[in-house]
């Protein structure tokens, strides 16, 4: 971390332009145009691309392999907390959505609607919906599944003996977004959504907090991404929820990203769906429910937390491959020896376990220049790049480069030392990425005691677009949750309340609202 809080750029000679070294592999840089930098990093890493279907994305093999790693770790965590996977319909009858007033109001503007079930030739030779095939009731393409899952739960739950019911679904959803960014906001995206039913309010509230802590654990210990967690304000709650809790992370542009949510739904959805059960006292009771979810947005969060101006950096615990081996082949006479050496190295590495998972290795044997291979894997963020050439075979060595260090940083070491130390190296990288992100967040976080200081913190004063002044970040302020003030700040400064944090001890003490002068129970995170 440099003194100004920016991550040091690893690749000062990331490519060649007309025989001269380029400054970075990614253009524009973060400092020049953060939004476009992000898009270019995603493309350079071959994570995803825009689809011909407006607002949708194609997740490419490397990006999907990364999402599979997210799925694998989260799925284990869900099952360790007693949840089972199931799958529910993509289509939701419109009447289901209408049963919960706040819910339909919150999602109505984002819904894709199916009205016909057949196409026929039209007068101009194209296809049109068959007027005779109009559905009796329109179907909504799943924006979220509380209502359709609630219909099944109403059939499954009969007695207190059926509770708690703990279900998770891995699925796709559609929310008709017009302004999209790969992974962060697309019309269709992948996610998991947990849905649970409980006999008492206390059990449902405990479930909501448990799953929030699962998300905190995953974000910090797997993604190496520090987060603040706590309750959302009333204006930011999930439509129809009694309480919504979130995890919030700071990206490298000092803006917040909501990385996961957990909702205590009270009895609202149980009432709408008719989820009732016979209690131990043989009385009919209305159930209490929760829902919680994270999506492919986490891939974007990982990119924006750790990537530099040479590409993405993947925390080792989530890397589809922990290492890539780059054979240096100089003529047919040494090729066989090098490849035999590589095969033996791969076998030995795969016998090593890194956090209950075998070390995973790619071998790049493409017939392209070595420098081009190297830069492909730098941009893809693989933790370790291992070069093996004829001299390494003779000496029993390898040459190792770490993605969290400079792009020219290379360490020759004995093959046996690599086998012995690779877990330690990967752990150092995992911990180092978290500490670097934590230091960045700390540098751009403030406890603010007056409205004047608040507005100064969130207001740019530089007029030079090429050298914008660093401003903004996370502000912890006493606020009495006045919704009019909250709306004013959103409109005037583009500042939002992320949550009322539970993880910052200094924010839990009562004080005075810096905007109204009224008593404030605790600080909120702006």
């Amino acid at each position: 971390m440099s003194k100004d809080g920016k991550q040091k750029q690893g690749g000062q000679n990331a490519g060649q332009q007309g025989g001269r070294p380029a400054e970075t592999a990614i253009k524009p840089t973060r400092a020049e145009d953060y939004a476009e930098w992000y898009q270019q990093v995603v493309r350079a890493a071959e994570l995803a691309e825009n689809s011909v279907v407006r607002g949708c994305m194609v997740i490419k093999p490397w990006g999907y392999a990364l999402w599979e790693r997210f799925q694998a770790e989260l799925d284990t965590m869900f099952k360790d907390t007693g949840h089972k996977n199931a799958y529910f319909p993509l289509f939701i009858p419109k009447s289901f959505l209408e049963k919960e007033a706040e819910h339909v109001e919150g999602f109505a503007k984002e819904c894709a609607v199916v009205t016909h079930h057949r196409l026929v030739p039209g007068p101009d030779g194209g296809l049109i919906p068959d007027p005779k095939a109009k559905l009796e009731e329109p179907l909504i393409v799943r924006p979220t599944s509380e209502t359709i899952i609630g219909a099944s739960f109403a059939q499954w739950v009969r007695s207190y003996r059926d509770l708690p019911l703990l279900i998770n679904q891995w699925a796709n959803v559609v929310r008709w977004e017009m302004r999209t960014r790969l992974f962060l906001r697309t019309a269709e995206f992948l996610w998991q959504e947990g849905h649970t039913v409980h006999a008492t309010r206390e059990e449902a509230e405990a479930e909501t907090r448990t799953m929030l802590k699962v998300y905190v654990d995953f974000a910090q210990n797997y993604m190496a991404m520090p987060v603040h967690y706590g309750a959302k304000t009333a204006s930011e709650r999930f439509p129809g929820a009694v309480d919504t809790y979130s995890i919030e992370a700071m990206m490298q542009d000092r803006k917040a990203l909501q990385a996961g949510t957990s909702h205590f739904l009270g009895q609202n959805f149980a009432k709408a769906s008719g989820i009732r059960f016979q209690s131990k006292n043989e009385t009919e009771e209305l159930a209490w429910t929760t829902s919680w979810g994270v999506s492919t947005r986490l891939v974007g969060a990982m990119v924006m937390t750790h990537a530099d101006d040479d590409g993405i950096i993947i925390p080792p615990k989530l890397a589809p491959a922990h290492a890539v081996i780059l054979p240096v082949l100089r003529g047919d006479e040494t090729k066989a020896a090098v490849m035999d050496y590589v095969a033996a190295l791969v076998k030995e590495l795969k016998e090593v376990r890194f956090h209950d998972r075998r070390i995973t290795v790619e071998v790049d044997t493409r017939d392209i220049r070595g420098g081009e291979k190297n830069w492909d894997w730098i941009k893809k963020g693989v933790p370790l790049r291992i070069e093996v050439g004829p001299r390494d075979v003779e000496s029993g060595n390898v040459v190792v480069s770490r993605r969290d260090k400079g792009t020219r940083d290379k360490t020759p070491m004995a093959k046996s030392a690599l086998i012995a130390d690779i877990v330690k190296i990967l752990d150092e990288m995992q911990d180092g990425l978290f500490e670097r992100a934590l230091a960045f967040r700390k540098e751009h976080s403030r406890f603010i005691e007056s409205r004047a200081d608040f507005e100064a913190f969130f207001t740019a004063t530089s007029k030079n677009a090429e050298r914008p002044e660093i401003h903004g970040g996370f502000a912890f302020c006493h606020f009495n949750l006045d919704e009019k003030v909250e709306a004013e700040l959103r409109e005037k400064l583009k500042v939002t309340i992320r949550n009322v944090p539970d993880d910052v001890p200094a924010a839990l003490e009562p004080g005075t609202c810096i905007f109204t002068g009224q008593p404030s129970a605790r600080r909120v995170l702006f």
Side-chain angles (χ1 to χ4, degrees), residues 300-487:
M302 185 210 75
V303 171
M304 291 199 296
T305 299
H306 300 302
D308 60 19
D309 292 333
D310 293 318
I312 69 171
I313 301 176
I314 303 176
K317 286 186 181 179
L318 294 177
H322 298 105
V324 59
I325 299 177
L326 307 173
V328 180
L329 304 175
R330 297 194 176 99
D332 293 339
E333 66 279 2
T334 59
K335 181 176 180 179
V338 169
M339 294 310 298
D340 287 346
Y341 187 86
V342 166
L345 175 58
V346 169
K347 183 178 179 181
E348 289 185 77
L349 285 172
K350 286 185 175 181
E351 292 174 357
V352 179
R353 300 195 74 83
F354 175 65
H355 294 276
D356 298 323
R357 177 185 166 213
R358 286 195 318 168
I359 293 291
T360 305
V361 185
E362 292 268 357
V363 179
D364 192 340
T365 58
R366 291 177 297 165
D367 186 17
I368 60 175
R369 293 187 304 170
E372 187 176 347
K373 285 185 189 180
N374 188 50
W375 280 108
D376 277 354
W377 292 104
I378 288 172
K379 288 182 283 189
K380 286 185 175 181
V382 174
L384 301 177
R385 305 184 308 283
I386 303 169
E387 293 182 16
V388 176
R391 292 182 181 178
D392 300 308
V393 174
E394 294 174 3
S395 61
N397 286 346
V398 294
V399 178
V400 179
S401 299
R402 290 171 46 158
R403 183 61 184 90
D404 62 338
K405 293 184 177 292
T407 54
R408 290 188 171 185
D409 183 86
K410 295 185 178 184
T411 303
M413 60 193 306
K415 183 178 76 169
S416 58
L418 173 63
I419 302 299
D421 293 345
I422 189 168
V423 171
K424 178 183 176 182
I425 293 169
L426 293 173
D427 272 330
E428 285 178 358
M429 296 179 70
Q430 182 79 30
D431 294 343
L433 288 172
F434 179 80
E435 291 302 324
R436 184 163 67 182
L438 186 63
F440 182 86
R441 187 183 73 175
K442 183 177 180 180
E443 181 159 359
H444 297 290
S445 297
R446 302 284 188 275
F447 278 75
I448 293 178
E449 310 298 341
S450 73
R451 179 162 189 158
D453 289 346
F454 181 93
E455 293 193 3
F457 181 64
F458 284 113
T459 302
T461 57
S462 174
K463 303 299 182 183
N464 185 344
E466 295 182 358
R467 296 181 62 84
E469 178 182 296
I470 292 178
H471 71 285
F474 283 176
F476 297 92
C477 311
H478 276 291
F479 180 50
N480 69 341
L481 305 182
D482 185 305
E483 291 190 21
K484 290 184 179 179
V485 174
E486 188 176 349

Side-chain angles (χ1 to χ4, degrees), residues 41-57:
V41 166
V42 169
R43 292 188 180 98
E46 297 185 8
L47 298 181
E49 62 188 19
N50 290 313
S51 167
V52 294
V53 180
R54 183 178 178 182
C56 295
M57 64 176 170

Side-chain angles (χ1 to χ4, degrees), residues 135-176:
L135 300 178
E136 291 185 12
E137 180 180 2
L139 297 174
I140 310 302
V141 182
R142 170 176 58 212
T144 182
S145 297
E146 279 75 12
T147 56
I148 190 70
I149 290 178
S152 291
F153 284 179
Q155 302 300 314
W156 298 357
V157 174
R158 288 285 179 264
S159 161
Y160 70 91
R161 297 181 181 87
D162 300 322
L163 302 176
L165 180 59
L166 308 176
I167 298 295
N168 176 64
Q169 168 173 249
W170 292 97
N172 64 335
V173 292
V174 172
R175 296 178 185 176
W176 210 257

Side-chain angles (χ1 to χ4, degrees), residues 60-225:
K60 301 179 79 170
W62 187 244
Y64 199 80
L66 189 55
W67 175 238
E68 286 179 317
R69 290 292 309 128
F70 282 58
Q71 283 183 298
E73 298 297 346
L74 282 166
D75 200 61
T76 297
M77 297 168 87
F78 298 156
K79 288 171 180 173
D80 285 347
T81 47
H83 301 82
K84 297 183 183 300
N85 287 335
Y87 186 80
F88 298 87
L90 173 68
F91 301 115
I92 301 173
K94 181 170 70 74
S95 60
F96 280 31
L97 216 61
E98 293 170 337
K99 290 179 180 179
E100 215 295 320
E102 288 187 52
H103 195 64
V104 67
E105 182 180 350
F107 284 102
K109 294 180 181 179
E110 299 178 342
C111 288
V113 185
V114 179
T115 57
H116 293 73
H117 65 80
R118 182 168 58 239
L119 297 173
V120 294
D124 61 353
L127 295 173
I128 61 171
D130 185 349
K132 298 179 181 179
K134 187 175 182 178
L135 300 178
E136 291 185 12
E137 180 180 2
L139 297 174
I140 310 302
V141 182
R142 170 176 58 212
T144 182
S145 297
E146 279 75 12
T147 56
I148 190 70
I149 290 178
S152 291
F153 284 179
Q155 302 300 314
W156 298 357
V157 174
R158 288 285 179 264
S159 161
Y160 70 91
R161 297 181 181 87
D162 300 322
L163 302 176
L165 180 59
L166 308 176
I167 298 295
N168 176 64
Q169 168 173 249
W170 292 97
N172 64 335
V173 292
V174 172
R175 296 178 185 176
W176 210 257
E177 300 280 359
M178 300 310 293
R179 298 178 60 188
T180 60
R181 292 173 70 190
L182 295 170
F183 289 111
L184 299 177
R185 190 174 294 277
T186 49
E188 179 193 14
F189 54 91
L190 307 182
W191 78 346
Q192 60 75 210
E193 49 180 321
H195 298 268
T196 68
V197 187
H198 304 267
T200 68
R201 179 186 186 114
E202 292 74 21
E203 290 177 7
E205 288 181 326
E207 164 76 6
T208 306
R209 291 190 292 270
T210 293
M211 299 319 295
L212 182 72
K213 292 296 180 67
V214 167
Y215 292 153
V216 172
D217 182 9
F218 180 75
Q220 299 195 150
N221 295 318
Y222 289 83
M223 294 179 67
M225 181 178 73

